[in-house]
Amino acid sequence: MNKSILIIGACGQIGTELTLKLREINGINNVIASDIREGSKELMQSGPFEFINAMDYHSILAIIEKYSINEVYLMAAMLSATGEKFPAKAWELNMNSLFNVLNIAKEGKIQKVFWPSSIAVFGPTTPKENTPQETIMEPSTVYGISKQTGERWCEYYFNKYGVDVRSIRYPGIISWKTNPGGGTTDYAVEIYHNALLLGKYNSFLNKETKLPMMYMDDAIEATIQIMDAKPENIKVRSSYNLAAMSFTPEEIAQEIKKIVPEFKISYHSDFRQKIADSWPKSIDDSRAREDWGWKHQFNLKKMSESMLHSLKIKYD
Ligand code: AKB
C-alpha cells in the first residue's frame, strides 16, 4: 500500500525535520503537515499544510479522510517546563490528542501511529544510571505523568484493539533548524546559539547536571526506523528506551570552547533544575538495538561540530 502520512504538530522542533525527511523519502504530496499554527518558511513551502487542533477529533478525521491518510505521527505536546506552569492545559493537550488518534486507529481509519514518549516518564525513585527499559517509574512532572499514562494507553490499545502504535522515549533533542520550546533540556540548544551570537551562556541547569541527549539526525533516523520495522519486531508496545549520549552543561561548554575558544559559561539554576534532577543520567536502550536495529551516529564531539557549522552558515 502507498504511504499517505499525516504529521500533527509538524511545526515543532521534531515535527519540522521529520516532515522534511518524510517528504524526501515518500514524496511531497504523500506527507501532509499540520499544526495549530504556521511553521518555518522552509516547512510551509515544502508541501501540503492543513491547520489542525490536535484536541479536535473531527478536524483530525476530516483531514485523514480528505487525503486518505494511513499513517499518523502525533508530535503535538506541551513539554516539561511549560507543563509545570499550565498543568491542566498540558494534561488536556497531551492526553486528548493521543485518545483522538488512538480512537481513529481503533476505528480502522488509519493503519499505523507514531507517538513520542520521553525520559520524563522516569522520576526521582528510578535508577539514575543506565536506566532499564522496565523499572520504577514515578514521574514528578505533569508532562511525565501524561507520557507515562499515554504509554499505558498505547499498550492497552495494541493488546485490546490491535492498534499498531509505536513509540520511543526521546531524550533531550538537539537541533539547529527549529528551536525547542518549553523543555528542560532546551539549554543544550540555546547554548550553541548564544556561543556564536554572544560568546557566553548563562545556564539554567547547574554544571554537573548530567542528562541523556540526542542529535536531531539520530532522532529522525530512529523515528523512521521504528515505523518501518516489521510489526513482529516491535516487542515493546508501550515505548522504547532510546539513547545516544549523556553530558553535563560543563562538558558541552568544554566541547564548544574547542571551536569557539572565547566562549564562557555561567550558572544560575531555576525551577527546571528540580525537573532535571528527577530524570535519569543515562539510559539502557539495548531493547531498541536488539529488536529493530537501532544504532546512533552522533556523540557530543560530532554533534557540536555539526551544530556550530550549521548555525554559523545560518547566522552569516
Ligand atoms: C523536555 O525537556 O521536556 C523534553 C523531553 C526530555 O521530553 N525535551
Side-chain angles (χ1 to χ4, degrees):
M1 196 200 311
N2 261 356
K3 275 192 198 175
S4 181
I5 298 171
L6 173 65
I7 298 152
I8 302 173
C11 299
Q13 185 200 14
I14 304 176
T16 299
E17 295 201 38
L18 184 62
T19 305
L20 297 172
K21 191 68 189 183
L22 287 171
R23 284 185 167 154
E24 205 182 295
I25 298 170
N26 299 288
I28 288 167
N29 291 320
N30 295 320
V31 181
I32 314 305
S34 76
D35 207 301
I36 199 162
R37 59 184 167 101
E38 283 191 10
S40 67
K41 212 165 149 191
E42 188 184 7
L43 177 95
M44 299 306 289
Q45 291 177 351
S46 69
F49 179 87
E50 297 279 351
F51 285 104
I52 285 185
N53 176 351
M55 291 189 290
D56 179 1
Y57 172 91
H58 294 287
S59 79
I60 300 175
L61 190 58
I63 299 304
I64 285 175
E65 285 172 347
K66 177 172 171 189
Y67 292 95
S68 304
I69 297 293
N70 45 38
E71 281 186 22
V72 172
Y73 291 70
L74 173 57
M75 309 308 288
M78 193 182 286
L79 300 189
S80 57
T82 310
E84 291 311 286
K85 293 183 184 151
F86 307 104
K89 248 184 163 171
W91 182 258
E92 204 186 341
L93 170 61
N94 296 357
M95 298 317 303
N96 289 359
S97 59
L98 177 60
F99 277 124
N100 286 341
V101 173
L102 287 178
N103 284 330
I104 290 172
K106 177 186 155 193
E107 287 150 20
K109 297 190 166 112
I110 49 175
Q111 275 63 58
K112 232 192 243 184
V113 176
F114 177 81
W115 175 77
S117 185
S118 158
I119 54 163
V121 293
F122 300 115
T125 51
T126 302
K128 292 253 174 246
E129 290 286 0
N130 237 0
T131 301
Q133 174 70 40
E134 281 132 18
T135 186
I136 301 168
M137 292 158 88
E138 295 183 320
S140 54
T141 61
V142 66
Y143 171 64
I145 300 169
S146 73
K147 288 294 180 190
Q148 194 204 16
T149 310
E151 286 191 8
R152 298 288 87 227
W153 279 111
C154 286
E155 197 183 83
Y156 185 89
Y157 270 67
F158 171 75
N159 286 331
K160 187 114 181 174
Y161 310 117
V163 168
D164 188 356
V165 51
R166 302 167 184 215
S167 177
I168 282 168
R169 291 173 182 151
Y170 287 129
I173 305 296
I174 293 138
S175 63
W176 60 271
K177 265 194 191 163
T178 311
N179 283 334
T184 303
T185 57
D186 295 7
Y187 92 87
V189 177
E190 290 170 11
I191 194 169
Y192 288 107
H193 289 264
N194 286 25
L196 288 179
L197 294 174
L198 308 168
K200 60 180 183 182
Y201 182 64
N202 189 16
S203 170
F204 60 74
L205 296 182
N206 65 35
K207 59 158 73 172
E208 64 273 4
T209 312
K210 187 170 146 195
L211 287 171
M213 300 278 187
M214 180 175 286
Y215 196 39
M216 180 63 87
D217 298 41
D218 276 339
I220 299 296
E221 186 62 36
T223 307
I224 292 173
Q225 209 180 335
I226 193 175
M227 284 298 269
D228 281 348
K230 291 199 181 106
E232 59 270 26
N233 291 343
I234 308 298
K235 295 177 184 143
V236 175
R237 288 294 180 160
S238 50
S239 189
Y240 275 95
N241 275 7
L242 194 76
M245 62 185 115
S246 287
F247 55 77
T248 64
E250 186 64 15
E251 285 165 345
I252 192 173
Q254 289 308 326
E255 209 52 56
I256 290 172
K257 269 187 203 167
K258 291 182 189 162
I259 301 168
V260 186
E262 68 279 13
F263 177 65
K264 288 205 167 31
I265 185 160
S266 54
Y267 298 94
H268 184 83
S269 58
D270 65 16
F271 74 101
R272 290 169 280 193
Q273 185 65 49
K274 201 169 158 210
I275 301 176
D277 288 342
S278 78
W279 288 351
K281 294 180 192 297
S282 61
I283 298 285
D284 174 2
D285 64 350
S286 46
R287 294 291 295 279
R289 289 175 195 260
E290 282 157 23
D291 289 359
W292 43 274
W294 160 242
K295 214 169 152 211
H296 70 278
Q297 301 293 332
F298 284 82
N299 58 19
L300 177 56
K301 181 173 188 293
K302 199 169 159 196
M303 174 179 78
S304 299
E305 286 164 2
S306 173
M307 277 295 283
L308 291 169
H309 175 77
S310 305
L311 285 177
K312 255 187 202 150
I313 296 171
K314 186 174 171 178
Y315 287 133
D316 273 355

